Amino acid sequence: MVTILKSTIECNDTRLGKSFDIFIQVMIVLSLVSFSVETLPNISDELRTYLYRFEVFSVSIFTFEYIARIISADDKKKFIFSFFGIVDLFAILPFYLSTGLDLRTLRTFRLLRLVRILKLARYSAAAKRFHRAFIIAKEELALFLFAALIILYLAGVGIYYFEFPAQPEVFSSVFHSLWWAVATLTTVGYGDIYPITVGGKIFTFFILILGLGVVSIPAGMVASALSKAREMEDD
Amino acid sequence: MVTILKSTIECNDTRLGKSFDIFIQVMIVLSLVSFSVETLPNISDELRTYLYRFEVFSVSIFTFEYIARIISADDKKKFIFSFFGIVDLFAILPFYLSTGLDLRTLRTFRLLRLVRILKLARYSAAAKRFHRAFIIAKEELALFLFAALIILYLAGVGIYYFEFPAQPEVFSSVFHSLWWAVATLTTVGYGDIYPITVGGKIFTFFILILGLGVVSIPAGMVASALSKAREMEDD
Amino acid sequence: MVTILKSTIECNDTRLGKSFDIFIQVMIVLSLVSFSVETLPNISDELRTYLYRFEVFSVSIFTFEYIARIISADDKKKFIFSFFGIVDLFAILPFYLSTGLDLRTLRTFRLLRLVRILKLARYSAAAKRFHRAFIIAKEELALFLFAALIILYLAGVGIYYFEFPAQPEVFSSVFHSLWWAVATLTTVGYGDIYPITVGGKIFTFFILILGLGVVSIPAGMVASALSKAREMEDD
Amino acid sequence: MVTILKSTIECNDTRLGKSFDIFIQVMIVLSLVSFSVETLPNISDELRTYLYRFEVFSVSIFTFEYIARIISADDKKKFIFSFFGIVDLFAILPFYLSTGLDLRTLRTFRLLRLVRILKLARYSAAAKRFHRAFIIAKEELALFLFAALIILYLAGVGIYYFEFPAQPEVFSSVFHSLWWAVATLTTVGYGDIYPITVGGKIFTFFILILGLGVVSIPAGMVASALSKAREMEDD
């Protein structure tokens, strides 16, 4: 019995194991969709009932899976306190604890279960290549992240001095200005906060010339590290 | 007769074949322009008449082309049910079916006919190189698309918890928040929806640092796969 | 006399030639600044007088240069009708023709004179490398530009069908929708036009996934072609 | 005594030296946080008192460090007038000079002290690689910066002629239009200024096709120069 459970749950090689894996992943995706639908403002009582029933069903499945994984684990204690053991517990716990409190937040832990999908990719060539690419570019990425943080802070403080006198309500502190720096240097530019003084605009120009590179170079770096990793593989 | 038709329509090598191809492509582009002009809100009746006359003319041409292609095809049935056969039919059908219904939508199928232009490029070195580059980077692209979808969902759910209490009208469900996630992680940032709470802004900062790479690395990946493909060619 | 003129104007190797070149370039930049200042809405009469005087001075210099270049040219006719000959004439002509008409527009031709600066870079290694990189990536760039135009049109037509019924004032024609497509696929996202329907938002998501790559891959392509060109140089 | 000071302050190899370095860096970050908090609009008097006390404490530490560095320097004069010597002085001077004037601006000089952190990275492989990558791509970067400036100016002047007649309040001069050019070509797109005329929109389309590359190619260039630098290292 335990052997069958084990081969179903832990092996991805057998047909039954693969089917079970795919079923659980579909259930995860469906329960995330159901959770998202529940947040819609004007849903009918009928739909809400259906969603609740699906919730009961999916939690039953996840509870069964959780217990099955404990039974089939060689070292039960180790599984319970492992990353995936805790994730699996947190995905069902809120349902059983729902004592009037709004525990829907905890249900988002189910999202972490999506990480299981990555397990399938664990042994794929692409994932290995990525891992190698990150190791190749690790130091440069850290350097750039650090440089990006310094430039963000510099941009925030700089614009504060230019814009605070003109827009005390918008650029009301260095922290508000940092929000501007984030939205600007990532080029999102919502338009909720922007410089209106001549000095602030010229400052924005210079900080963008400096900062755009810092923000966009890392992506190119990972891409070229990847092609490097691919070459290493070919050798 | 059929032989002449065949050499005109199917060969791009002969002078007549090339001229016919260019003529059809110009007609496709013109009929798309005419279709776009028709959507303008305040066009005069005179212009509308001209557009209708051009419509009749272009559909005649496309009908002639469609029939000619059927005649010149070796396997007529195969052509009719092939991708290009169906596209060609859909490009003329709406005109003949227009029985008061607004079938202008179907006219956009004409756009698919633009794909024919790609036929000319089919044997070019650049298109081959692209094909090879996509094969090289296929696995990584799939991995990144998957990662991008997970990050988008995470971003949507996360911002929902931060912003819903503050802006229940704007971030009214996880789906509304997903729209924010799309506009933000692609750095479009229309400004119709953005975080106003401190928590939401800090969350945006972290999700952008994580997400920008995931969205922009694939472009760099294709570019370096392309240069790899070019190298393979040179060997 | 002509020999001195010639060596001053045409040679960048002699000290006098270099000084003259730099002086003319500084004059071009200054006259562009002066032109820009003149467009400011509330400038004093005094400043306007100074700007006019500078205008007279700079046009005198450019006229002198133009005549000197004609004199020192071996084939006078060839110079007058060459690209730079026409640019130089257009840079001074508006001043002499100003008969009440607003010819300030023509003064922007002076901008073309900035191209002269590129002359200095003509023989530099970097410019040569660029030229080679563009030749390497030429075909792919053309393919991408074509793909970008098709995606832009597709995006425009698509969003028109989704958004026209909901926002007839904003997405009032395919052309208005094309403006949305340009602002969105380049990720500028001004916020003057954006989808509000669920269908339009989902369509935007898919078109962005497709389109972002098409718009951002060419930049990566040129960059890797450049590094390829550098390698070729080293060999 | 001086020897102990010296080994503490100047060496990063000894345990004491490393601890001192980390302590100073933590103090710099904390004093920047405290400075940012001080700019918040509604902070209580109590918090203000705590911030002032921390200010006194941090300035004492920085003063002690400054004096210690002078004492331990072999060439005292050289240190005082060195870049870091001046930065260290400017970080404490405002506190002692605060005679009613708002010298908080000068406190931002403390930011420059963050540069010290880079000292630690000075001998790291990543930093060296960057330096080499910048040397490799120096000429191209200069060429692109120059091209970017010309395109920005062209975009500004062009849009001015298209939009000034329609929006004289928004595109009121070439300088206002340059702000539009900066926000558009970097794809930030705040939405405070955008074309509304048909001509202006078409112009924006063409300038974006031209300009996006000029702005985003340099990032890819640095990335590929970096991978080149890494290869050189391996040889």
Side-chain angles (χ1 to χ4, degrees):
Chain A
M1 177 65 199
V2 171
T3 322
I4 295 168
L5 257 181
K6 210 162 180 160
S7 70
T8 311
I9 288 170
E10 298 201 328
C11 301
N12 303 317
D13 308 328
T14 65
R15 215 180 140 185
L16 195 66
K18 241 178 199 160
S19 308
F20 179 76
D21 254 34
I22 289 166
F23 172 67
I24 286 292
Q25 277 153 25
V26 168
M27 282 304 293
I28 293 168
V29 171
L30 284 179
S31 83
L32 288 173
V33 169
S34 135
F35 159 74
S36 302
V37 169
E38 232 173 283
T39 64
L40 281 170
N42 301 308
I43 57 169
S44 66
D45 284 346
E46 200 186 6
L47 181 58
R48 201 173 288 279
T49 314
Y50 282 122
L51 288 173
Y52 181 73
R53 278 180 198 161
F54 179 77
E55 175 67 11
V56 173
F57 175 66
S58 64
V59 168
S60 311
I61 298 287
F62 294 146
T63 308
F64 166 77
E65 188 210 353
Y66 181 61
I67 293 165
R69 276 189 199 276
I70 291 178
I71 290 167
S72 67
D74 293 320
D75 187 341
K76 285 163 192 25
K77 215 172 173 182
K78 199 182 147 198
F79 169 73
I80 292 170
F81 293 102
S82 72
F83 174 70
F84 282 118
I86 291 163
V87 164
D88 286 0
L89 182 63
F90 270 65
I92 52 169
L93 211 61
F95 180 79
Y96 296 109
L97 292 177
S98 55
T99 55
L101 280 155
D102 186 13
L103 287 161
R104 286 190 311 175
T105 319
L106 283 174
R107 279 176 61 192
T108 48
F109 273 97
R110 222 162 274 174
L111 194 69
L112 291 174
R113 296 185 61 135
L114 276 171
V115 180
R116 279 194 188 287
I117 297 176
L118 292 176
K119 263 187 172 171
L120 296 171
R122 192 186 275 166
Y123 303 104
S124 81
K128 266 187 194 160
R129 218 172 287 153
F130 261 111
H131 189 66
R132 220 173 305 151
F134 269 108
I135 287 169
I136 291 174
K138 202 176 55 182
E139 274 178 276
E140 281 104 331
L141 284 175
L143 209 72
F144 260 101
L145 194 68
F146 178 68
L149 289 177
I150 287 186
I151 282 184
L152 274 175
Y153 189 80
L154 263 169
V157 172
I159 207 74
Y160 174 72
Y161 282 111
F162 281 112
E163 295 296 320
F164 177 70
Q167 307 183 79
E169 296 297 306
V170 183
F171 289 88
S172 47
S173 77
V174 165
F175 296 104
H176 290 82
S177 304
L178 279 172
W179 170 241
W180 168 85
V182 168
T184 300
L185 285 174
T186 59
T187 77
V188 172
Y190 288 120
D192 55 337
I193 180 168
Y194 50 82
I196 55 165
T197 65
V198 173
K201 285 174 176 180
I202 293 168
F203 177 77
T204 305
F205 168 67
F206 283 109
I207 214 79
L208 272 170
I209 284 193
L210 241 161
L212 276 190
V214 171
V215 169
S216 58
I217 287 171
M221 245 153 59
V222 173
S224 71
L226 254 169
S227 77
K228 183 81 198 286
R230 215 181 290 120
E231 270 168 47
M232 278 161 65
E233 228 162 89
D234 297 347
D235 297 341
Chain B
M1 176 65 198
V2 171
T3 325
I4 294 168
L5 257 180
K6 209 162 181 160
S7 70
T8 310
I9 288 170
E10 296 199 330
C11 301
N12 303 317
D13 307 329
T14 64
R15 215 181 139 185
L16 196 65
K18 240 178 199 160
S19 307
F20 179 76
D21 254 36
I22 288 165
F23 172 67
I24 287 291
Q25 277 153 26
V26 167
M27 282 305 294
I28 293 167
V29 170
L30 284 179
S31 83
L32 289 173
V33 169
S34 134
F35 158 75
S36 302
V37 169
E38 233 174 281
T39 65
L40 280 170
N42 301 309
I43 56 170
S44 66
D45 284 345
E46 201 186 5
L47 181 56
R48 203 173 288 278
T49 315
Y50 282 122
L51 289 174
Y52 181 74
R53 277 180 200 162
F54 179 76
E55 176 67 10
V56 173
F57 175 66
S58 63
V59 169
S60 313
I61 299 286
F62 295 145
T63 308
F64 165 77
E65 189 210 354
Y66 181 61
I67 294 164
R69 276 189 199 277
I70 292 178
I71 291 167
S72 68
D74 293 319
D75 186 342
K76 286 166 192 19
K77 214 173 174 180
K78 201 182 144 197
F79 169 74
I80 291 170
F81 294 102
S82 72
F83 175 70
F84 282 118
I86 292 164
V87 164
D88 285 1
L89 182 63
F90 271 66
I92 52 169
L93 212 61
F95 181 79
Y96 295 111
L97 292 177
S98 55
T99 55
L101 280 155
D102 185 13
L103 288 161
R104 286 189 310 175
T105 317
L106 283 173
R107 279 176 60 193
T108 48
F109 274 95
R110 220 161 275 174
L111 194 69
L112 291 174
R113 298 183 61 134
L114 275 172
V115 180
R116 279 194 189 286
I117 297 177
L118 293 177
K119 263 187 172 173
L120 296 171
R122 193 187 275 165
Y123 304 103
S124 80
K128 267 187 195 159
R129 219 172 288 154
F130 261 111
H131 189 66
R132 220 173 305 150
F134 269 108
I135 288 169
I136 291 174
K138 202 176 54 182
E139 274 179 276
E140 281 104 330
L141 284 175
L143 209 73
F144 259 103
L145 193 67
F146 178 68
L149 288 177
I150 286 186
I151 282 184
L152 273 176
Y153 190 80
L154 263 169
V157 171
I159 206 75
Y160 174 72
Y161 282 111
F162 281 112
E163 295 296 321
F164 177 70
Q167 307 183 79
E169 296 298 306
V170 183
F171 288 88
S172 48
S173 78
V174 166
F175 296 104
H176 290 81
S177 304
L178 280 174
W179 170 241
W180 167 85
V182 168
T184 300
L185 285 174
T186 58
T187 77
V188 172
Y190 288 122
D192 55 335
I193 179 167
Y194 49 81
I196 56 165
T197 65
V198 173
K201 285 174 176 179
I202 293 169
F203 177 77
T204 305
F205 168 66
F206 284 110
I207 215 77
L208 273 170
I209 283 193
L210 241 161
L212 276 190
V214 171
V215 170
S216 58
I217 287 170
M221 244 153 59
V222 174
S224 72
L226 254 168
S227 79
K228 184 79 199 285
R230 214 180 291 119
E231 270 168 45
M232 278 161 64
E233 227 162 273
D234 297 346
D235 297 342
Chain C
M1 176 67 200
V2 171
T3 325
I4 295 168
L5 257 181
K6 209 162 182 160
S7 70
T8 310
I9 289 169
E10 297 199 329
C11 302
N12 303 317
D13 308 329
T14 63
R15 215 180 140 186
L16 196 65
K18 241 177 199 160
S19 307
F20 180 74
D21 254 37
I22 289 166
F23 171 68
I24 287 293
Q25 278 153 24
V26 168
M27 282 305 293
I28 293 168
V29 171
L30 283 179
S31 83
L32 288 172
V33 169
S34 134
F35 159 74
S36 302
V37 168
E38 232 173 283
T39 66
L40 280 170
N42 300 309
I43 56 169
S44 66
D45 285 346
E46 199 188 6
L47 181 57
R48 203 173 288 277
T49 315
Y50 282 122
L51 289 173
Y52 182 73
R53 279 179 198 162
F54 179 77
E55 175 67 11
V56 173
F57 175 66
S58 64
V59 169
S60 312
I61 298 287
F62 294 144
T63 309
F64 165 77
E65 187 209 355
Y66 181 61
I67 293 166
R69 275 187 201 278
I70 292 178
I71 291 168
S72 67
D74 293 320
D75 187 341
K76 285 164 194 20
K77 215 172 174 180
K78 201 182 145 197
F79 170 74
I80 290 171
F81 294 100
S82 72
F83 175 71
F84 283 118
I86 292 162
V87 164
D88 285 1
L89 182 63
F90 271 66
I92 52 169
L93 211 62
F95 180 80
Y96 295 111
L97 293 176
S98 55
T99 56
L101 282 155
D102 185 13
L103 288 161
R104 285 191 309 176
T105 318
L106 283 173
R107 280 176 60 192
T108 49
F109 274 96
R110 221 162 274 174
L111 195 68
L112 291 173
R113 299 185 59 135
L114 275 172
V115 180
R116 279 194 188 286
I117 297 178
L118 292 175
K119 264 186 170 173
L120 296 171
R122 193 187 274 165
Y123 304 104
S124 80
K128 267 186 194 161
R129 219 171 287 153
F130 261 110
H131 190 65
R132 222 174 302 151
F134 269 107
I135 289 169
I136 292 174
K138 199 176 57 182
E139 274 179 275
E140 282 104 330
L141 284 174
L143 210 73
F144 260 102
L145 193 67
F146 178 69
L149 289 176
I150 287 186
I151 283 185
L152 272 175
Y153 190 79
L154 264 168
V157 171
I159 206 75
Y160 174 72
Y161 283 111
F162 281 112
E163 295 295 322
F164 176 71
Q167 307 183 79
E169 296 297 307
V170 183
F171 288 88
S172 47
S173 79
V174 166
F175 296 104
H176 289 81
S177 304
L178 279 173
W179 169 241
W180 168 85
V182 168
T184 300
L185 285 174
T186 58
T187 78
V188 172
Y190 288 121
D192 55 335
I193 180 167
Y194 49 81
I196 55 165
T197 66
V198 173
K201 285 175 176 178
I202 293 168
F203 177 77
T204 305
F205 168 66
F206 284 109
I207 213 78
L208 272 170
I209 283 192
L210 242 161
L212 276 191
V214 171
V215 169
S216 58
I217 287 170
M221 245 154 58
V222 173
S224 71
L226 253 169
S227 78
K228 184 79 199 284
R230 215 181 288 120
E231 270 168 45
M232 278 161 64
E233 225 161 274
D234 297 347
D235 297 343
Chain D
M1 177 66 200
V2 170
T3 324
I4 295 169
L5 257 181
K6 209 162 181 159
S7 70
T8 311
I9 288 169
E10 298 199 328
C11 302
N12 303 317
D13 308 328
T14 64
R15 216 180 141 186
L16 195 66
K18 241 177 199 161
S19 308
F20 180 75
D21 254 34
I22 290 166
F23 172 68
I24 287 291
Q25 277 154 25
V26 168
M27 282 306 293
I28 293 168
V29 171
L30 284 180
S31 82
L32 288 172
V33 169
S34 135
F35 159 74
S36 302
V37 169
E38 233 172 285
T39 65
L40 281 171
N42 301 310
I43 55 169
S44 65
D45 285 345
E46 199 186 8
L47 182 56
R48 203 172 287 279
T49 315
Y50 282 122
L51 289 173
Y52 182 73
R53 278 181 199 161
F54 179 77
E55 176 67 11
V56 173
F57 174 66
S58 64
V59 168
S60 312
I61 298 287
F62 294 145
T63 309
F64 165 77
E65 188 209 354
Y66 181 61
I67 293 165
R69 276 189 200 278
I70 292 178
I71 290 168
S72 68
D74 292 321
D75 187 341
K76 285 164 195 20
K77 215 172 174 182
K78 200 182 148 197
F79 169 74
I80 291 170
F81 292 101
S82 71
F83 175 69
F84 282 119
I86 292 163
V87 164
D88 286 0
L89 182 63
F90 271 66
I92 51 169
L93 211 60
F95 181 79
Y96 296 110
L97 292 177
S98 55
T99 54
L101 281 154
D102 186 12
L103 287 161
R104 284 191 311 176
T105 319
L106 283 174
R107 278 176 61 192
T108 47
F109 274 97
R110 221 162 274 175
L111 196 68
L112 291 173
R113 299 184 60 135
L114 276 171
V115 180
R116 280 193 187 286
I117 297 177
L118 293 176
K119 264 187 171 172
L120 297 171
R122 192 187 275 166
Y123 303 104
S124 81
K128 266 187 194 161
R129 219 172 286 153
F130 261 111
H131 189 66
R132 222 174 301 153
F134 269 107
I135 288 169
I136 292 174
K138 201 176 54 182
E139 273 178 277
E140 281 104 330
L141 284 174
L143 210 73
F144 260 102
L145 193 67
F146 178 68
L149 289 177
I150 286 186
I151 283 184
L152 273 175
Y153 189 80
L154 263 169
V157 171
I159 207 74
Y160 174 73
Y161 282 111
F162 281 112
E163 295 296 321
F164 176 71
Q167 306 182 79
E169 296 298 306
V170 183
F171 289 88
S172 47
S173 77
V174 166
F175 296 105
H176 291 80
S177 304
L178 279 173
W179 169 241
W180 168 85
V182 168
T184 299
L185 286 174
T186 58
T187 78
V188 171
Y190 289 121
D192 55 336
I193 179 167
Y194 50 82
I196 55 166
T197 65
V198 173
K201 284 174 177 180
I202 293 169
F203 177 77
T204 305
F205 168 67
F206 284 109
I207 214 78
L208 272 170
I209 283 192
L210 241 160
L212 276 191
V214 172
V215 169
S216 57
I217 287 170
M221 245 153 58
V222 173
S224 72
L226 253 169
S227 78
K228 183 80 199 285
R230 215 182 288 121
E231 270 168 46
M232 278 161 65
E233 226 162 273
D234 297 347
D235 296 342

